[in-house]
Amino acid sequence: MTTDRGYPAVRMYLAGEWCQGGTGATAPVENPATGEVIGEVPLATPDDLDRALAAAEQGARVWRATSVARRTAILHAAADLIAERAAEIGRVMTLEQGKPLAESTGEARRTADTLRWHAEDARRAYGRIVPSAPGTLLTVRREPIGPVAAFTPWNFPVGGPNRKISSALSAGCSLILKASEETPATAAALVACYADAGLPAGVLNLVFGEPAEVSAHLIASPVTRLIAFTGSVPVGKLLAAEAGKVMKPSLMELGGHAPVLVCADADPAQAARRAAQAKFFNAGQVCTSPSRFLVHESVIEEFTAEFVKAAESVTVGDGLEPGTTMGPLANERRLRAIERLAADATGRGATLRTGGERLDRPGYYFAPTVLTDVPADAALLSEEPFGPLAPIVPFTDLDDALRTANALPYGLAAYGFTKSAATAEKLSDGLEAGILSINHCGGSVHEAPSGGVKDSGYGREGGPEALDAYLITKRVSHLLAG
Ligand code: NAD
């Protein structure tokens, strides 16, 4: 069922049923391209959450007892449905999140591939037989950890939830997803693909609600065995602390403030084009978005000129309009935050090279912005911008630049541009980050791990490492003569 604006009616999914939730309470959902309310999201009551927990407990038992061949077949069927429905998932995502249609549908298509990759990888989650004393069979087994409580944000409305769902379900766990209340229809469309593929009731449950109340309820419950969160550092620390109180492991994919080091021997124009493309992808609302540009003084003018050219060639508009290459910010909070960071930088003496203000039209649009002469005390250089702001800062000595890059408590992504193998190795060794790209700004891929160090979190998503958090290791020593 869709509303008259082409936005679907959103439901929660509990114990294999689509439902509205106990009190019928809802929150509005906005289209950030217009600021208009386009629909509503149901909010869970404590009873709804208890229903989700009971379903996940039962679902974990059923799923664990399902053969790996059957599990894999259902997950492949879900991936096929995601791929088939990518255009519709993308359209709904653009309506509620704002990103250009090509980015939305591309995200949905990649999501199907990610699910297939994890489903196949989990078939090889082998344990081992360990040589031991005669008459003793010593084995190490990997078992599903149990029901997972997962919390995902609004910036990748299908890819974000699916990273958690695909790893958990491939590993044999059940999962309760609390997706963002700002992008609920995309999450529901994703869950529908799993449901329609024949997933047994209770294995995957979807709730929305007041985030702090939902997370407190699900984390405290003895049913959940793992807390998986993607979002900001402050909320991640809060949830990790709550999980710690009940001795639960957590997987934390938090924010970053990715440095880009452009060395004296790099091609500055090429580096600028590649970095700018990554900078304005999803309007900069990406945890790995390049966000501090440390450029050797000998190439900074050429780099800046090319970066400004790239920023000015971005077509900002409604993501549904053909030709748009950057949509609005996803919500008014982000617009206010970006306005504050830009004003703080210019107020402290930074030079505005292009952009610098919101667009004069309804919706939450902010122009691609490039700033130079940014003083070290500008908030933009220490606070994650999560928006289309590019501060460019000169350096003369690479060791100093490395110290600056590592000075923040974040450690998610980092980027380097150089033609020297020795300098590339120095950057690879010296940058404190979980994800490093040299001579490009590579995005995340399902075949290799992503994750942070320091305040950016712990645990990995993607690659074989993605299953680690969802599997426990059990040692079984069997005295055969006994
Ligand atoms: P926020 O900190 O208010 O919320 C971040 C996410 O956490 C949202 O999805 C929100 O619903 C959820 N959340 C908030 N409180 C929660 C709680 N107590 N329990 C469970 N979930 C909770 O920030 P925001 O305004 O939505 O986003 C802005 C900031 O969030 C950005 O500056 C960025 O640092 C961070 N962020 C990071 C990512 C990422 O991919 N790591 C994604 C989105 C947002």
Side-chain angles (χ1 to χ4, degrees):
M1 189 172 61
T2 55
T3 66
D4 55 358
R5 297 174 191 86
Y7 185 78
V10 180
R11 297 279 179 267
M12 296 193 279
Y13 188 65
L14 304 180
E17 285 172 16
W18 292 98
C19 55
Q20 177 63 37
T23 59
T26 61
V29 180
E30 279 183 2
N31 178 351
T34 60
E36 285 172 357
V37 172
I38 47 169
E40 48 187 28
V41 54
L43 304 176
T45 62
D47 283 349
D48 296 328
L49 298 177
D50 285 339
R51 203 170 148 217
L53 286 162
E57 191 170 29
Q58 169 66 8
R61 273 197 291 272
V62 170
W63 196 232
R64 186 183 163 144
T66 303
S67 75
V68 172
R70 176 84 191 121
R71 291 202 308 233
T72 310
I74 292 172
L75 297 178
H76 274 287
D80 291 346
L81 289 176
I82 296 169
E84 258 173 61
R85 300 176 187 175
E88 177 55 14
I89 294 172
R91 190 189 68 81
V92 168
M93 191 189 313
T94 293
L95 267 180
E96 61 186 8
Q97 199 271 353
K99 64 178 72 177
L101 208 46
E103 286 185 27
S104 308
T105 49
E107 184 183 328
R109 284 198 195 94
R110 281 196 307 280
T111 289
D113 291 342
T114 298
L115 172 53
R116 291 190 185 105
W117 197 89
H118 287 305
E120 287 303 315
D121 193 47
R123 303 177 87 144
R124 287 171 280 279
Y126 304 134
R128 61 189 193 269
I129 298 174
V130 182
S132 183
T136 304
L137 179 61
L138 182 59
T139 58
V140 177
R141 304 173 187 199
R142 303 188 82 199
E143 297 178 352
I145 192 168
V148 177
F151 304 90
T152 55
W154 41 262
N155 58 338
F156 289 100
V158 71
N162 190 64
R163 282 184 143 202
K164 296 183 181 4
I165 298 171
S166 60
S167 302
L169 269 52
S170 297
C173 302
S174 64
L175 185 137
I176 302 171
L177 171 68
K178 192 211 75 68
S180 169
E181 289 71 26
E182 291 171 319
T183 52
T186 308
L190 172 67
V191 169
C193 294
Y194 284 88
D196 296 349
L199 195 69
V203 178
L204 177 59
N205 305 275
L206 173 68
V207 298
F208 303 102
E210 170 50 47
E213 286 170 20
V214 177
S215 56
H217 196 105
L218 297 184
I219 293 171
S221 164
V223 169
T224 56
R225 300 294 176 86
L226 171 72
I227 309 308
F229 174 75
T230 298
S232 63
V233 172
V235 176
K237 285 184 175 175
L238 188 83
L239 300 198
E242 285 182 20
K245 278 189 215 142
V246 285
M247 201 46 82
K248 274 180 203 172
S250 54
L251 177 63
M252 290 286 153
E253 214 276 72
L254 309 180
H257 201 333
V260 182
L261 275 68
V262 182
C263 300
D265 66 347
D267 175 339
Q270 186 185 68
R273 284 191 296 273
R274 291 178 183 173
Q277 191 181 11
K279 172 74 261 180
F280 301 118
F281 178 73
N282 201 1
Q285 301 165 120
V286 184
C287 52
T288 55
S289 183
S291 48
R292 293 179 287 152
F293 299 87
L294 310 179
V295 184
H296 193 269
E297 58 182 3
S298 62
V299 291
I300 194 166
E301 273 320 313
E302 203 181 331
F303 178 89
T304 304
E306 193 68 19
F307 204 112
V308 168
K309 206 165 104 191
E312 290 176 347
S313 71
V314 171
T315 306
V316 183
D318 185 327
L320 290 178
E321 283 164 17
T324 294
T325 54
M326 191 180 101
L329 295 166
N331 52 54
E332 196 173 4
R333 293 191 310 288
R334 286 283 13 105
L335 181 65
R336 300 279 163 249
I338 296 304
E339 283 181 327
R340 174 177 58 77
L341 288 172
D344 171 80
T346 49
R348 289 173 194 275
T351 305
L352 189 61
R353 304 292 280 256
T354 189
E357 54 190 9
R358 70 177 296 180
L359 302 196
D360 184 18
R361 58 182 281 178
Y364 308 130
Y365 297 92
F366 197 90
T369 297
V370 181
L371 295 146
T372 53
D373 311 308
V374 185
D377 62 355
L380 175 58
L381 291 183
S382 54
E383 195 180 313
E384 180 182 24
F386 225 64
L389 301 181
I392 301 176
V393 177
F395 75 84
T396 49
D397 177 74
L398 186 56
D399 288 310
D400 287 342
L402 271 170
R403 269 191 290 278
T404 305
N406 291 336
L408 298 187
Y410 298 105
L412 191 58
Y415 304 92
F417 286 86
T418 175
K419 289 192 181 119
S420 152
T423 306
E425 186 48 35
K426 186 177 170 113
L427 297 176
S428 305
D429 187 53
L431 282 164
E432 292 176 357
I435 308 163
L436 179 65
S437 304
I438 303 283
N439 289 337
H440 72 137
C441 292
S444 65
V445 289
H446 47 252
E447 62 269 26
S450 295
V453 297
K454 305 198 288 186
D455 274 6
S456 293
Y458 40 74
R460 292 294 179 265
E461 295 193 312
E465 288 85 353
L467 295 181
D468 289 348
Y470 298 92
L471 293 169
I472 55 158
T473 300
K474 183 188 271 180
R475 185 190 79 195
V476 178
S477 167
H478 182 175
L479 185 58
L480 298 168

